[in-house]
Amino acid sequence: MLTNLWYVAEWSKTVKDKPVKAKLLGQNFVLYRDKTGKVHCLSDVCIHRGGSLSNGWTTERNCVACPYHGWEFDAEGKVQFIPSRGEGAPIPERARIDAYPTEERYGMIWVFLGDLPESERYPIPEFPEYDDKANWRPVSLEFTWKGTVDRVVENGIDIAHTAFVHPGFGYREMADKNKILEVERGDYWGRSSNVLYPPQLQGNFGLLKFFRKDKAATHVTPSFYLPGHCVRLQIKVNSWMEMIIFDANTPVDENTTRSFAVQVRNFFKSPIFDKGSIKRTSKVFQEDADIVEALSPNYLPETLEHEVSVEQDKFMSAWRMIRRKHIEMGWKIDTRAMKAFEGEKVFTIPSPARRTNPHLKWALETVPLVEGNSASAAEVGTQGGIPQVESA
Ligand code: FES
Ligand SMILES: [Fe+2]
């Protein structure tokens, strides 16, 4: 699990006037909406006696109150009021918790979990079709996997599995016809363009058989983004019909992933087709989960030594390289080191204030990180292409 990235914590519509608990990267956070409508995200651990703020309430001071002794924390995580001391009493210097930047986009609450200053953060991935309601009809759904986020993302960008895992999307006997036409990558994203030969669309889209023949060449463009661990899958059904599935994959903990998905379509935009869209997309998630939840090991292997890759895996390799580069940059949480303290000590994800004000004093220690190696990070970053696949 990587720090220093934007992740989706919750749907916007879920956070109203009460604090809401969100678990990400194995840590608990509280989300709350102030009187102006702005959402805030704080660590969910009260530094008085460990109360869970998400069980508290929001206050007139635009704070969230701890349910144990009523201490009030503002949007910056600073204690503003200690009821037992009374109004105007001085507040201890260390009476603060980590507060994280938030944004609301695509009906989702994004939180930046790390201490990088704004100028160094990778942006939230663009999804312009979501706001273009005149041309695109969106539906939202979510899915929770018993699987690690790295495996989930890898599955989402893998084209070769579609012929085997998704009967609605491919034929086994066409597996060698499906082709990766191009792979591009940046520092924190990758995109590949592919041609596939799926069957006619089924269900409410049954009419489509008049618009698309069985096994017609279909262009599919999967992209991944490290921020949000997002996958965007663009499917060009024919010259005028397109759909996009955009999902943000949140690591709840090491082996649980919550996918926040929005599917948009530029055809059959009437709401009467929404139910069918949701049903079909959910079915695809379930087909993937049946495979991903049974993978061994659960985690993505850290080297290629114990797996065999072929050319058709090159886009997945691009994802692995980008992930590896950021592990070498020291962004990965050392969950093994934390296990020794389970139940005895609380760690917190460092927030930007820790870096901008190094003189501030804090009650909680930050999560241990796997030691990086800037030389290897640079090396992974400059390979520019795709790791070598094995020769026959
Ligand atoms: S534990 Fe939070 S106010 Fe006491
Ligand atoms: Fe799939």
Side-chain angles (χ1 to χ4, degrees), residues 42-82:
L42 309 177
S43 159
D44 193 35
V45 180
C46 173
I47 37 63
H48 178 220
R49 291 294 179 266
S52 170
L53 301 177
S54 53
N55 292 326
W57 58 89
T58 52
T59 75
E60 279 306 302
R61 291 181 179 78
N62 270 341
C63 288
V64 59
C66 176
Y68 204 175
H69 312 92
W71 290 24
E72 293 190 20
F73 296 80
D74 69 14
E76 258 104 64
K78 185 132 186 29
V79 172
Q80 289 295 345
F81 180 51
I82 299 179

Side-chain angles (χ1 to χ4, degrees), residues 73-193:
F73 296 80
D74 69 14
E76 258 104 64
K78 185 132 186 29
V79 172
Q80 289 295 345
F81 180 51
I82 299 179
S84 62
R85 307 199 79 190
E87 206 71 64
I91 306 287
E93 197 195 338
R94 290 191 311 142
R96 63 164 57 85
I97 55 178
D98 289 90
Y100 305 90
T102 62
E103 291 269 347
E104 291 193 74
R105 302 242 190 111
Y106 326 134
M108 305 165 185
I109 296 170
W110 297 73
V111 298
F112 184 82
L113 297 184
D115 60 359
L116 287 186
E118 198 172 350
S119 58
E120 293 174 30
R121 294 173 204 155
Y122 295 145
I124 293 171
E126 295 296 331
F127 181 25
E129 296 83 0
Y130 179 83
D131 296 306
D132 181 6
K133 300 284 191 294
N135 293 307
W136 297 89
R137 171 76 190 171
V139 291
S140 303
L141 64 149
E142 69 171 80
F143 192 87
T144 299
W145 314 63
K146 283 187 213 68
T148 175
V149 74
D150 309 311
R151 290 280 199 193
V152 169
V153 171
E154 188 165 274
N155 166 265
I157 61 171
D158 170 15
I159 291 300
H161 82 280
T162 52
F164 297 88
V165 178
H166 306 302
F169 220 83
Y171 293 102
R172 291 179 183 192
E173 67 273 19
M174 299 289 280
D176 65 334
K177 305 288 181 301
N178 297 339
K179 291 267 180 301
I180 302 181
L181 304 174
E182 196 189 4
V183 169
E184 301 164 83
R185 54 169 281 208
D187 285 339
Y188 57 85
W189 61 271
R191 177 167 53 233
S192 85
S193 70

Side-chain angles (χ1 to χ4, degrees), residues 1 82 120 139 225 257 325 337:
M1 296 186 290
I82 299 179
E120 293 174 30
V139 291
Y225 305 87
T257 302
K325 179 182 155 188

Side-chain angles (χ1 to χ4, degrees), residues 1-5 113-116 122 226 322-334 349-350 355 366-378:
M1 296 186 290
L2 298 175
T3 59
N4 281 328
L5 293 171
L113 297 184
D115 60 359
L116 287 186
Y122 295 145
L226 210 50
I322 284 174
R323 179 180 163 272
R324 163 56 50 192
K325 179 182 155 188
H326 292 82
I327 293 172
E328 298 295 353
M329 284 161 65
W331 289 15
K332 187 181 176 186
I333 299 174
D334 191 346
I349 306 282
R355 207 189 271 217
T366 56
V367 290
L369 297 169
V370 173
E371 205 177 327
N373 179 335
S374 48
S376 338

Side-chain angles (χ1 to χ4, degrees), residues 82-350:
I82 299 179
S84 62
R85 307 199 79 190
E87 206 71 64
I91 306 287
E93 197 195 338
R94 290 191 311 142
R96 63 164 57 85
I97 55 178
D98 289 90
Y100 305 90
T102 62
E103 291 269 347
E104 291 193 74
R105 302 242 190 111
Y106 326 134
M108 305 165 185
I109 296 170
W110 297 73
V111 298
F112 184 82
L113 297 184
D115 60 359
L116 287 186
E118 198 172 350
S119 58
E120 293 174 30
R121 294 173 204 155
Y122 295 145
I124 293 171
E126 295 296 331
F127 181 25
E129 296 83 0
Y130 179 83
D131 296 306
D132 181 6
K133 300 284 191 294
N135 293 307
W136 297 89
R137 171 76 190 171
V139 291
S140 303
L141 64 149
E142 69 171 80
F143 192 87
T144 299
W145 314 63
K146 283 187 213 68
T148 175
V149 74
D150 309 311
R151 290 280 199 193
V152 169
V153 171
E154 188 165 274
N155 166 265
I157 61 171
D158 170 15
I159 291 300
H161 82 280
T162 52
F164 297 88
V165 178
H166 306 302
F169 220 83
Y171 293 102
R172 291 179 183 192
E173 67 273 19
M174 299 289 280
D176 65 334
K177 305 288 181 301
N178 297 339
K179 291 267 180 301
I180 302 181
L181 304 174
E182 196 189 4
V183 169
E184 301 164 83
R185 54 169 281 208
D187 285 339
Y188 57 85
W189 61 271
R191 177 167 53 233
S192 85
S193 70
N194 305 261
V195 62
L196 271 71
Y197 299 88
Q200 290 161 346
L201 291 184
Q202 307 293 321
N204 286 349
F205 293 151
L207 276 179
L208 287 181
K209 56 181 159 241
F210 300 113
F211 303 118
R212 192 183 69 171
K213 291 201 198 79
D214 188 35
K215 297 184 187 171
T218 299
H219 286 268
V220 178
T221 311
S223 318
F224 66 81
Y225 305 87
L226 210 50
H229 282 18
C230 290
V231 172
R232 177 190 160 102
L233 190 65
Q234 187 147 3
I235 303 164
K236 207 165 170 36
V237 181
N238 59 27
S239 60
W240 59 277
M241 298 162 88
E242 248 179 279
M243 63 175 105
I244 300 164
I245 302 170
F246 176 99
D247 47 86
N249 300 292
T250 297
V252 173
D253 58 31
E254 271 191 300
N255 206 31
T256 313
T257 302
R258 190 174 169 202
S259 298
F260 296 83
V262 174
Q263 191 236 58
V264 294
R265 57 181 195 274
N266 72 348
F267 54 93
F268 291 3
K269 289 188 297 240
S270 158
I272 59 166
F273 295 106
D274 288 355
K275 225 169 132 189
S277 289
I278 292 171
K279 205 170 135 199
R280 272 185 299 277
T281 307
S282 305
K283 181 166 175 281
V284 169
F285 272 119
Q286 190 56 58
E287 288 166 350
D288 283 324
D290 290 343
I291 296 288
V292 169
E293 294 181 1
L295 295 177
S296 300
N298 298 119
Y299 305 127
L300 213 57
E302 292 302 341
T303 72
L304 294 175
E305 206 182 330
H306 302 296
E307 287 186 335
V308 179
S309 298
V310 293
E311 203 193 331
Q312 289 71 23
D313 300 323
K314 63 185 178 185
F315 188 45
M316 288 184 270
S317 301
W319 150 248
R320 288 192 181 196
M321 282 183 69
I322 284 174
R323 179 180 163 272
R324 163 56 50 192
K325 179 182 155 188
H326 292 82
I327 293 172
E328 298 295 353
M329 284 161 65
W331 289 15
K332 187 181 176 186
I333 299 174
D334 191 346
T335 42
R336 263 190 219 164
M338 286 165 65
K339 281 200 176 105
F341 299 100
E342 218 160 68
E344 289 175 18
K345 189 167 168 181
V346 175
F347 295 92
T348 179
I349 306 282

